Amino acid sequence: MKAPIFCTVLLLAVSLPAAAETPSCGAGAVFEDANGNGRREPDEAGLGGIQVSDGVDIVETDSSGRYNGLDGGGSRTVFVIKPAGFVAAVRADGLPDVWRNPPSGAGSQLKYGGIRPVPGLCRDFALRREAKRRPGLDALLFGDPQPKSAADVDYYRRDIVAPIAGRRSAQLGLSLGDIVDDDLSLYPAMNRVTATLRIPWLHVPGNHDLDLDAASDEDSLLTFRNSFGPDTFAWEEPEAIFVGLDDVVYQPDRKPAYIGGLREGQFAFLESYLRTVAKDRLLVIAAHIPFFDAGKPGKPSFRVADRERLFALLKDFPHVLLLTAHSHTQRHVFHDAADGWRGAAPLHEYNVGAACGAFWSGAKDTAGIPDATMADGTPNGYATLRVENAGRYSLVWHPARDPDDAGIGLHAPKALRRGAWPAWGVYANVYMGRDDSRVQYRIDGGEWKAMDKVEKPDPRLLAENAKDDAAERLRGYDRSPEAEPSPHLWRGALPTDLAAGTHEIEVRAPDAWRGELRARTRYRLQEASP
């Protein structure tokens, strides 16, 4: 949508030509799809009061369902903001049919083709009323699926998508960028896999979704838009409002070639749209690059002025959740005044772990799927978001193909010498742990003791690094990532003054949404002589 600001237009009542006669898709209609076939029949009425946007301007349909006044230049993607209580029609590829790209196409000179011309694409938007369902919304969250080959797409299918099908129900899905790893020709294959989940799926772009041969930021997501529609959008459910933002600002002639930030057109969209948003629901802001500063001192990874401007727009909303990805690690950040947040309570950002983990790296298991553990020791997987009324929500991280949904990874030595100095410990990686989490452990059912939060690499991943180093041949296509200090790791010293034999270690950790999590392992004390 990357374009200059235009004034927001509210359509009252105009007479328009048919949508197919407006090549920019800047005019058309929204109708009630009573029979659910996605095509407008003569007896299907238009829907008034529906918001339609080109990512900069927003207009509203009149009483007959017609809109006008969008994208005079004809280069932007026009989309309907799906209102709560309605269901969008489904495209042939399984994605929600809520956008129209410029029918004349754009970027044909790009390596991956940009937006393909599709004559007659500017047809009306179909919405049908949603059947009554139970209160509460369940959404699937995928960070960085990021395949670089057809083999990786198959890992994504077998490791992430197939185990979900038939096991976990949801009403919405959201991919938080890096849908692929620079090879944009993999978009159709990725979409075919994701579409097997048969729920509306929204896509936010990442830095590996760019047309890297584009000459400007404005043209850098043409191929993405061809496959997935608008790069900035809104979607409404009874329990939550979802706003997707392209926050990757492409800088083709600079190093780094991109930075986290937003553009004037996006702020125009946000300023107009947020004025219409009810404050009794959860407002979810979804983007790729984290809003917290993950860069080196003096080199912010997200433009500070843009973050402060965004936070100023959000400050009066009592229920806000930020969702980001990009880091291939996982953490919770609570923004305060030091980050420019002026809201009544800290602003929660969940930096979602990667579906591909560490880029589909590591030794393969018996199913032929790479280990893919991330650099902070979190196993690859996906998250779920549950939203209730009044802005209440819960989050869970699901390690890939783990039937137990383990929330804690333990590492401890197998054997220690009885009577040795207690210099070795058990490490608990609490995947959804926060800075203030109180993690405890006990031995053989004894007294619970506090574990110390430590800024160290996960020992299990360090062990994988050591195996990779010692191997004469590669253990996988790519090695596991070099372990880095984890933001959710705790340590407890193991006693060596107990009786010889096997001893049980039990760890418990609070989880804000799942309650108390527990994990167990064992170690053995042996008698030894010098």
Side-chain angles (χ1 to χ4, degrees):
M1 56 130 271
K2 309 162 181 180
I5 298 179
F6 288 83
C7 296
T8 298
V9 180
L10 293 180
L11 179 67
L12 298 178
V14 294
S15 176
L16 297 172
E21 297 174 14
T22 57
S24 72
C25 295
V30 182
F31 70 95
E32 184 170 354
D33 187 17
N35 62 9
N37 69 356
R39 300 187 303 272
R40 189 166 191 177
E41 310 294 348
D43 60 342
E44 291 179 329
L47 289 169
I50 305 297
Q51 295 184 94
V52 186
S53 178
D54 57 14
V56 178
D57 300 322
I58 302 174
V59 299
E60 191 172 286
T61 58
D62 66 10
S63 59
S64 66
R66 304 198 61 81
Y67 67 89
N68 190 18
L70 292 175
D71 190 14
S75 62
R76 300 183 215 145
T77 298
V78 172
F79 60 94
V80 64
I81 298 176
K82 188 203 76 68
F86 285 87
V87 177
V90 180
R91 291 161 41 107
D93 60 9
L95 293 176
D97 190 25
V98 293
W99 79 84
R100 305 287 181 261
N101 279 322
S104 57
S108 60
Q109 78 284 0
L110 297 173
K111 177 180 178 179
Y112 294 105
I115 295 176
R116 274 65 164 183
V118 183
L121 180 64
C122 295
R123 62 188 186 280
D124 293 342
F125 291 107
L127 296 174
R128 61 182 172 84
R129 297 190 186 273
E130 184 178 30
K132 188 175 182 181
R133 62 172 172 83
R134 288 184 176 182
L137 175 75
D138 291 293
L140 296 169
L141 308 176
F142 290 0
D144 301 79
Q146 206 162 343
K148 54 189 172 294
S149 64
D152 289 356
V153 174
D154 189 55
Y155 297 148
Y156 170 70
R157 178 186 65 83
R158 293 191 291 137
D159 201 32
I160 302 295
V161 174
I164 294 174
R167 177 189 175 198
R168 199 174 302 284
S169 62
Q171 292 82 46
L172 188 66
L174 182 61
S175 290
L176 295 165
D178 285 358
I179 313 304
V180 297
D181 190 9
D182 295 334
D183 185 351
L184 310 189
S185 70
L186 295 173
Y187 280 158
M190 285 294 289
N191 187 52
R192 283 192 295 272
V193 172
T194 307
T196 62
L197 293 172
R198 299 184 181 278
I199 59 175
W201 206 276
L202 310 177
H203 294 80
V204 171
N207 54 292
H208 287 283
D209 295 314
L210 302 174
D211 285 294
L212 294 175
D213 52 341
S216 67
D217 179 54
E218 185 176 12
D219 291 339
S220 63
L221 286 173
L222 292 175
T223 302
F224 174 91
R225 286 165 53 197
N226 184 72
S227 294
F228 302 116
D231 52 61
T232 291
F233 59 84
W235 177 283
E236 300 179 356
E237 296 289 346
E239 301 86 355
I241 306 291
F242 292 83
V243 176
L245 296 174
D246 164 30
D247 70 343
V248 182
V249 179
Y250 184 44
Q251 307 174 133
D253 298 323
R254 299 174 60 183
K255 290 186 178 181
Y258 66 88
I259 189 171
L262 300 173
R263 304 157 191 85
E264 287 298 323
Q266 290 173 298
F267 283 114
F269 171 78
L270 287 169
E271 288 165 4
S272 297
Y273 179 61
L274 292 178
R275 284 198 292 267
T276 72
V277 172
K279 293 184 171 63
D280 60 344
R281 282 181 276 180
L282 180 66
L283 175 59
V284 179
I285 305 295
H288 180 66
I289 295 180
F291 297 107
F292 59 84
D293 191 6
K296 297 179 180 179
K299 294 184 178 180
S301 55
F302 195 96
R303 295 192 300 213
V304 174
D306 291 354
R307 180 176 63 218
E308 292 179 348
R309 189 174 174 185
L310 173 65
F311 284 4
L313 291 173
L314 301 175
K315 71 179 179 63
D316 293 328
F317 287 85
H319 313 294
V320 183
L321 172 65
L322 307 179
L323 297 175
T324 55
H326 184 59
S327 66
H328 294 260
T329 56
Q330 171 161 277
R331 68 173 59 187
H332 297 274
V333 174
F334 291 87
H335 295 280
D336 56 20
D339 301 322
W341 173 246
R342 308 295 177 184
L347 175 60
H348 181 198
E349 177 175 354
Y350 174 38
N351 188 223
V352 184
C356 75
F359 311 93
W360 300 112
S361 65
K364 295 180 181 179
D365 61 13
T366 55
I369 297 175
D371 176 81
T373 297
M374 290 175 257
D376 66 348
T378 304
N380 77 305
Y382 63 96
T384 51
L385 168 66
R386 170 77 177 178
V387 188
E388 306 285 356
N389 291 329
R392 300 188 306 274
Y393 65 90
S394 58
L395 291 160
V396 178
W397 178 251
H398 303 277
R401 290 181 295 138
D402 182 356
D404 298 325
D405 268 345
I408 304 174
L410 296 184
H411 181 90
K414 297 293 185 184
L416 294 173
R417 177 175 64 82
R418 183 173 179 270
W421 180 258
W424 294 270
V426 56
Y427 287 84
N429 195 328
V430 184
Y431 307 135
M432 293 288 275
R434 305 178 178 187
D435 289 345
D436 60 353
S437 296
R438 296 181 64 235
V439 183
Q440 297 176 305
Y441 76 122
R442 65 181 179 182
I443 308 299
D444 296 334
E447 178 185 358
W448 288 104
K449 296 181 179 180
M451 300 182 76
D452 296 320
K453 191 172 187 301
V454 293
E455 290 286 334
K456 291 184 176 183
D458 186 305
R460 191 194 79 81
L461 186 54
L462 285 174
E464 284 296 304
N465 293 162
K467 290 178 182 178
D468 285 338
D469 287 345
E472 296 288 342
R473 296 185 177 183
L474 290 173
R475 300 172 63 232
Y477 180 77
D478 280 322
R479 293 169 52 117
S480 289
E482 186 173 2
E484 63 183 40
S486 175
H488 36 73
L489 188 69
W490 281 260
R491 180 188 184 277
L494 290 174
T496 58
D497 57 354
L498 305 176
T502 300
H503 299 275
E504 183 176 75
I505 308 166
E506 187 176 10
V507 172
R508 67 181 183 185
D511 184 278
W513 304 288
R514 295 174 68 184
E516 186 177 86
L517 302 177
R518 296 203 180 196
R520 292 177 173 82
T521 189
R522 295 179 176 182
Y523 73 112
R524 188 172 66 257
L525 288 176
Q526 293 180 320
E527 300 285 2
S529 300

